[in-house]
Amino acid sequence: KMTADNEMSIKEAFQRAQKSHNNKAKLVASLKSRYNKLEDKTMFHEEFVHYLKYAMIVYKREPAVENVIEFVAKFSTSFQSPPKTEEEEEEEEDDEDDHPFLSFIFNFLLESHKANSHAVRFRVCQLINKLLGSMAENAQIDDDLFDRIHQAMLVRVTDKFPNVRIQAALAMARLQQPSDPDCPTISAYILILENDTNAEVRRAVLSCIAMSPQTLPKVFKRTRDIKENVRKLAYQVLADKVHIKALTIAQRVGLLQHGLHDTSEAIREVVCSRLLPAWLLLLDGNIIELLHRLDVENCAETAMETLKALFKGMSTEELLQNRAQLDNRKLIPVDSLTCENVVYWRVLCEFIKGKGNDGDEMLEQVLPDAATYAEYLRSYLKTVTDMSEEQRADYTQLEMGMTKEFISQQLIHLIESLDTNEEGGRKRVLAVLQEMLTLPQTPSSLVCLLTEKLLLIILDDQRRVQTVAEIISDVMEPITEVSQPVDENKSRRQQVQLAEVKVRIMEAKEALENCIAAQDFSQAAELKESITKLEDSRNQILQEISESNQPVIKEVRTEKNDPETLLRCLTMCAELLKKMNIKTPIGPTISALMSSLILPSIANPYPAVRNMAVVCLGTCTLHSKELAKTHMVLLLQIAQLDEVKIRISALRSIIDLLLLFGFQLLSETASSPTAQPNQSPERQEDDAAAEDKGDVPEDTAQSILVMLSEFLDSEVSDLRTETAEGLAKLMYTGRISSAKMLSRLVLLWYNPITEDDTHLRHCLGVFFQLYARESRSHQEVVEESFLPTIRTLLEAPATSPLAEVDVNNVVELLVELTRPIDKHLQSKQMDIHETSVHDFLAVRMCGEMLKDPTAPEVRLYAKALSNLEFSRDDAVKEDLQSLLQQLVQVRCTRTQAFSIGVCQCKSCVPCFSEAAADDLSKSVKRAKRGKAGSIHSVIKSRLTFRVTGVFTVSVVRPSRRAKTAALEKTKLDLNPLINQEANVS
């Protein structure tokens, strides 16, 4: 044994190292002093490893063991030579790079990394991580040792145990070479980020992976990880390690868009407190420059959300200091307007106005009065005109035109922030808006926005209708000056008169000369007077001829029916109908617009005009049931015959009408053959009738459902999605109660062809939960759709996409949707004698199993039976027991355990057998393995939580003091093990 008077023994060092209060540096110095005095280091090495093994066999993160590992790492790296300069390296090329003890520890660990014990593998990786981490930043190790560590850790990052993979990944942090595109560490990190199922392993890699063009996209992708803590760390890494210039515009916008709308408050906070400040710091605090990096023109919504997030963290003084480039009029000069500063100005004004009365004084410092702003807006909009085809062909002019339109839109949005309570300012704003809407040079893209702001200022519906109707009239029949043609007959008569007068003047002048020659002065005086009269007459005729030759200009109204004009008028009309109160009746003005503008445009050859006309017609019919009855047939025809976009608009109108008025609306249109879409006999048999039909003939309502059902099979995804959303609304509101239609929606949700249609998946995913939890009758519809849905999946041919659907998954969903979990619903609608929906579902499944006990789906139904919750009614239990006995007799062994469970049902909650519980727990585990990030997995995670809740036993949470005491008892102390080994030896 090695002994010394002053130095500490290895055993004592390990014993003291377990206590966190001991100074590790002193322990290291004392033991190092002993080591340096030894000539033969071999025994020291062996004894050191001997005591180290006690800690390495413990997998649990015990404080004593962690302290020992920390001590070993510090002691081992204390022998490392200080970094050498280049000259020293040249002089000592042949010297050994690593200390013998450090090399010995590394060799021991590398030999142990393949141990069968996962605890040993974990501690090996942990120690290697700590050894490499404790070395100096510019430390060097032998190339051969480097390669051995590298290879060992590459093996361990694929270990079965996540904690081993975590430590191995951390250990490789200093072994990666970002400049090498073929670096095996980087490749392993990327593989882990994309494929490792454990979130903590992915987090470990994120924390240590080096940024490079190769790794940046992978880290960016983790911001959409299914686990919140992984997403959070990904944002932190990008904020701390990645320059904003290293990201593309799409990546910057994606980070902010997803981060600011993340479901987790913690992630939204990270974006606001870490990512945005880091970017601003790199841009010297210039917010306008940050907006320029986000491409505001194409990503306005994200830019606005970003500005709002920044403004929330600013004080009042900072908000006013950072205001845009405003002049003394509190306006941005027209020449200085850019996409960035106009968006900043708009969001700043909206943010201050959102403060209410507290922001009124601040708003006056960043926005002028309404009249001044109206003139400013008018002067800018006058410079923005619709581009011709030649201008659009020129990319430079097109880009400038689009920029001007974008700035115009932001300036129009600023109207909402104006104080329009003052009469003069409000009238001036209205006058400017009306003028801009009337001018044909105003771009069509601004018409909708201008109309919206106009109607926002005018609050009375009647005045709104009158104002918009006048504007439409001025646009469709503008005042033009027309010149009348010259009257040829009158002109000819005037020329004849002029010739006669000229002849008479010539004759009179000749007579005058003769009289003067004859010295007949009295006659000459008379002739001279007549000549003067004739000349006056000639001058008058000349003036009349001059006036008649000039065209007469008259102001007349000329009707315009070109597609651009019709589209502008229909856009204004649609915006008006949307803003009107739905209870406001259709007056004569709207009726005139219907007959003169909307209905004629339905047959227009231009699709854009037809589409807007259909939108106007559908919105208009919502204000009048009589109007809806009249035009329902037309909407049904359009929904089947026109272009896709127009069909979708008509379909939306039909759904809205059915939601508002119900299927009674069809009673007036049932007699018309065109009201019923073409339908096949098979479809008629399969589709269910609708509720609330009143006197509606069944085939009329059924024909609507047939049309909608056919749309669900459409190859056009937009039409299919709109139909599914409409059916979901009709079913949720109770307008339709159809088990087979619900079955169609379930099958559509699971169908692989809708995998990329995120809107459809999200809509139906939310609908199923809300629908089933709304009322008992809805759960009965789900129960009724159970067997048809399962049969369809089981009978699907191999070539059908439905053959890929996991039937077990569908069964679990339908069972959960019919489970009365909601306590409010359960207490409100179920009493002790009321049957459960699961009672009827069990009867249906038992009946199906009895039809053919040898069918393969019997196993599926038997498993589902074990997951049902039954009512407390004894009669129901007896009926189920009878059915189950029949099943047991035909050797449905899967249900035998379930039969025993039903027999043991008490007065409160039915007892389930262990076999049933095992089956349920397995199904829960399978559900949790669903595809990450999909809507399906989100709902399944919610549902599986409820499943496990059936078997949960309420446990009283221990106090903090009790937890502390229990923790102290479980703390591991290595001393007894060390002493026991010493006694044995």
Side-chain angles (χ1 to χ4, degrees), residues 42 44 116 200 233 302 445 506 511 583 658 674 683 715 790 793 840 858 891 908 920 923 937 942 960:
T42 307
F44 184 95
N116 291 333
E200 291 303 317
L233 183 59
T302 303
S445 59
M506 290 175 65
K583 295 182 181 179
L658 293 177
T674 56
R683 291 277 188 179
E715 295 181 357
I790 303 305
L793 292 173
F840 299 101
V858 168
R891 295 187 179 181
C908 294
L920 184 58
S923 67
S937 64
R942 296 178 182 174
R960 184 180 296 276

Side-chain angles (χ1 to χ4, degrees), residues 456-519:
L456 191 67
I457 299 174
I458 305 173
L459 302 179
D460 181 63
D461 276 348
Q462 296 301 326
R463 193 177 163 209
R464 284 175 171 176
V465 173
Q466 190 65 31
T467 304
V468 174
E470 290 174 0
I471 297 173
I472 290 176
S473 176
D474 291 340
V475 173
M476 292 195 68
E477 297 179 356
I479 297 175
T480 56
E481 295 180 344
V482 179
S483 60
Q484 291 184 341
V486 178
D487 189 347
E488 297 292 339
N489 294 329
K490 183 179 178 180
S491 178
R492 194 177 296 110
R493 287 195 302 269
Q494 289 173 339
Q495 293 293 337
V496 171
Q497 290 176 0
L498 180 61
E500 291 176 354
V501 172
K502 286 181 177 180
V503 170
R504 289 171 64 185
I505 291 173
M506 290 175 65
E507 291 176 348
K509 285 183 177 181
E510 187 177 351
L512 177 62
E513 291 176 357
N514 293 333
C515 287
I516 293 173
Q519 295 185 350

Side-chain angles (χ1 to χ4, degrees), residues 658-664 690-692 730 733-737:
L658 293 177
L659 285 170
L660 184 61
F661 300 117
F663 279 82
Q664 299 95 326
E691 278 189 352
D692 301 329
L730 289 170
T733 55
R735 293 298 186 186
I736 295 178
S737 180

Side-chain angles (χ1 to χ4, degrees), residues 849-887:
M849 293 164 72
L850 285 170
K851 286 182 181 178
D852 184 7
T854 61
E857 59 266 23
V858 168
R859 185 182 182 86
L860 179 71
Y861 293 133
K863 176 185 172 183
L865 282 173
S866 65
N867 290 338
L868 301 181
E869 290 183 55
F870 301 101
S871 64
R872 306 166 186 174
D873 193 346
D874 293 334
V876 173
K877 294 177 186 176
E878 292 176 2
D879 294 340
L880 289 174
Q881 179 66 20
S882 174
L883 287 171
L884 291 168
Q885 285 176 352
Q886 297 180 45
L887 289 171

Side-chain angles (χ1 to χ4, degrees), residues 169-314:
L170 295 174
M172 288 198 302
R174 299 192 66 176
L175 306 180
Q176 53 187 328
Q177 299 171 343
S179 58
D180 181 9
D182 299 323
C183 174
T185 299
I186 298 292
S187 301
Y189 278 170
I190 292 174
L191 193 66
I192 292 172
L193 286 178
E194 294 183 336
N195 299 298
D196 202 297
T197 57
N198 188 277
E200 291 303 317
V201 179
R202 300 197 298 273
R203 285 187 78 247
V205 171
L206 278 176
S207 67
C208 60
I209 191 171
M211 289 295 105
S212 68
Q214 183 184 7
T215 59
L216 180 56
K218 310 303 178 181
V219 175
F220 177 81
K221 191 176 180 181
R222 285 307 99 205
T223 60
R224 303 297 294 150
D225 197 278
I226 191 174
K227 291 295 183 180
E228 174 189 335
N229 56 356
V230 179
R231 298 199 303 274
K232 181 179 178 180
L233 183 59
Y235 277 104
Q236 292 173 345
V237 169
L238 290 171
D240 297 339
K241 296 183 179 180
V242 181
H243 197 287
I244 186 173
K245 293 181 180 179
L247 298 167
T248 64
I249 292 177
Q251 287 174 333
R252 297 170 200 157
V253 173
L255 281 175
L256 294 175
Q257 185 176 3
H258 296 137
L260 292 173
H261 293 92
D262 199 285
T263 55
S264 169
E265 175 65 29
I267 293 175
R268 297 197 297 271
E269 180 62 28
V270 165
V271 174
C272 296
S273 63
R274 296 278 293 271
L275 186 65
L276 287 175
W279 286 359
L280 275 178
L281 186 64
L282 295 170
L283 300 173
D284 298 327
N286 191 336
I287 299 180
I288 300 297
E289 181 64 22
L290 175 61
L291 293 179
H292 181 69
R293 304 279 181 182
L294 298 179
D295 189 14
V296 172
E297 192 173 346
N298 296 314
C299 308
E301 289 300 322
T302 303
M304 291 170 62
E305 292 290 338
T306 302
L307 287 174
K308 290 176 184 176
L310 289 172
F311 291 159
K312 286 178 182 178
M314 292 183 182

